[in-house]
Amino acid sequence: MNRIRSLALPIAVTLTAGALSALAAGTAQAADVNVARNGGFESGLANWSCTGGTGASVSSPVYAGSGALKATPAGQDNARCSQTVTVKPNSTYTLSTQVQGSYVYLGATGTGTQDVSTWTPGSGAGWQKLSTTFTTGPSTTQVTVYTHGWYGQPAYVVDEFSVFGPDGGGGTDPGPSVPGAPAGAAVSGQSANALTLSWNAVGSATGYHVYQDGVRVKTVTGGASTQITGLTASTSYSFQVSAYNAAGEGPKSAPVTGTTTGTDPGPGPGPAVPKHALTGYWQNFDNGATVQKISDVSAQYDIIAVSFADATTTPGAITFNLDSAGLGGYTVDRFKADIAAKKAAGKSVILSIGGEKGTISVNDSASANNLANSAYALMQEYGFTGIDIDLENGLNPTYMTQALRSLSSKVGSSLVITMAPQTIDMQSTQGGYFKTALNIKDILTVVNMQYYNSGSMNGCDGKVYSQGSVDFLTALACIQLEGGLDPSQVGIGVPASPSGAGSGYVSPTIVGNALDCLTRGTSCGSFKPSKTYPGLRGAMTWSTNWDAKAGSAWSNSVGPKVHGLP
């Protein structure tokens, strides 16, 4: 019922149906709100309940802000996490969230009408939005919303959970306001190709965008400073910084100018990789293996793959952060000097892209360019002579090819490109890794497939071979050798010790037998290739640190074997 007040005497007014419609159309309706609490998990698991203690608040990966929910199914528990929200009767709500992982479900129960749910079979390493709607019954004031995984499946991650609709009176999370402009921007740490930019932190910010000469070049989280690399010597640059949070991006800071120092000779061309080469991964972290400096790595290794590059918030882009504290105070300057010394000794030191923090997706031209540009900047800064692709979440052969060819055009013929796919990745030439290797065959150095953590696989003769045997190494290497790669682009990747992998360790003697079988036709098992491949590049191990932990038994045995191949 609508009432009209008059300044005179009260009068009765009759409204037609058309007039009522017009009046309703002109009446402002209350905006929908998010009736879920702590939907961004910025306050841990407050307001949430997870079955069997399966849920945890994590800081990575996150879709936005600084927190997310990670829940792990266990046994007959599907890791269901839920909260009860206050709603209005006879109202429609939109339920949505960002998810990552295999078999993630989203739903609502107790709606008073039709309970709803939706799910995804898997979003891989990227984020995927799940969304559905529900309508409340005539007397419904509370609804339980939930997410869960599936039995026997890996953990899933959820962020930015929302239930938008009419305010039910149960309270909502206050929306953040756009942060202000950062103050105190300053430039320091000048070198020929890098500058360090710092600024005063903004309390409500979840991150910062850095602009170079008006173009956004970097996003920073977890700090109020960053190093800008890949710059030109003796050149002035203008920088600005903006803060952002869930409400959006705030205004930019006042511009600040920095100038790089004089000409830097740069990393220089890398040494030529020998005909037969030993590759070892060097750990930029302490996991119980021997902690090493680059200078500590055995001279048997011809290619040293620094593990690992770190992903950034820019799609495809990478960075590198030396774990100085974890490595006993290993400084960046000493690290760079050790790389230069290894290069002077004829070794190649490359940067590996992969591992827990290096999971990247290169699925379009922009991210391909970001990978090439950031990798080139790191090569200039640290003296790396190439990169290693060790992505275990798959890759897009079209855009990874674009990225590697772009990097090659910047570096030239001295660029070292290695790959370390899993055995499943090289079973067919139609796989993403195999396609990429063939696409860049003219610039590819070596593919060191990981012959471990894989169980049984098909060999090139169609028979199934179990890991841990000479047949497994030779029959699977045969797939690459007969699938289009040059023998110089094939290496055998194995753990340096039983501690280096979950399964698949073989003794250095078996590695030597496999090398002899493939290059000389001797020391074979039941499988013997139809021809020999004397140009085989060599062998790889995870890792130089586990090798050192075991007294360098692997490199002292396999190194001379590789270097003595025909």
Side-chain angles (χ1 to χ4, degrees), residues 275-276 481 487-488 490-492 514-515 518-519 533-538 565:
K275 177 182 178 181
H276 300 297
L481 292 163
S488 67
V490 176
I492 295 174
L515 292 171
L518 292 169
T519 60
Y533 309 92
L536 192 81
R537 180 67 75 174
L565 291 176

Side-chain angles (χ1 to χ4, degrees), residues 254-278:
V256 61
T257 300
T259 303
T260 52
T261 58
T263 302
D264 189 323
V273 175
K275 177 182 178 181
H276 300 297
L278 197 71

Side-chain angles (χ1 to χ4, degrees), residues 346-361:
K347 311 299 183 182
S348 294
V349 183
I350 63 177
L351 180 61
S352 181
I353 303 171
E356 179 186 358
K357 297 182 179 179
T359 302
I360 66 167
S361 295

Side-chain angles (χ1 to χ4, degrees), residues 186-222:
V187 172
S188 62
Q190 289 93 336
S191 68
N193 49 36
L195 295 168
T196 298
L197 179 66
S198 61
W199 56 91
N200 296 338
V202 178
S204 61
T206 56
Y208 303 90
H209 296 311
V210 177
Y211 293 82
Q212 175 184 314
D213 296 328
V215 177
R216 184 191 295 181
V217 294
K218 203 167 189 180
T219 297
V220 179
T221 58

Side-chain angles (χ1 to χ4, degrees), residues 461-475:
D461 58 353
K463 296 181 180 179
V464 176
Y465 294 95
S466 298
Q467 65 180 7
S469 66
V470 66
D471 287 334
F472 187 77
L473 303 181
T474 54

Side-chain angles (χ1 to χ4, degrees), residues 395 397 424-426 428-436:
L395 52 78
I424 190 66
D425 296 321
M426 301 299 286
S428 167
T429 55
Q430 297 306 304
Y433 253 106
F434 216 140
K435 280 186 177 180
T436 302

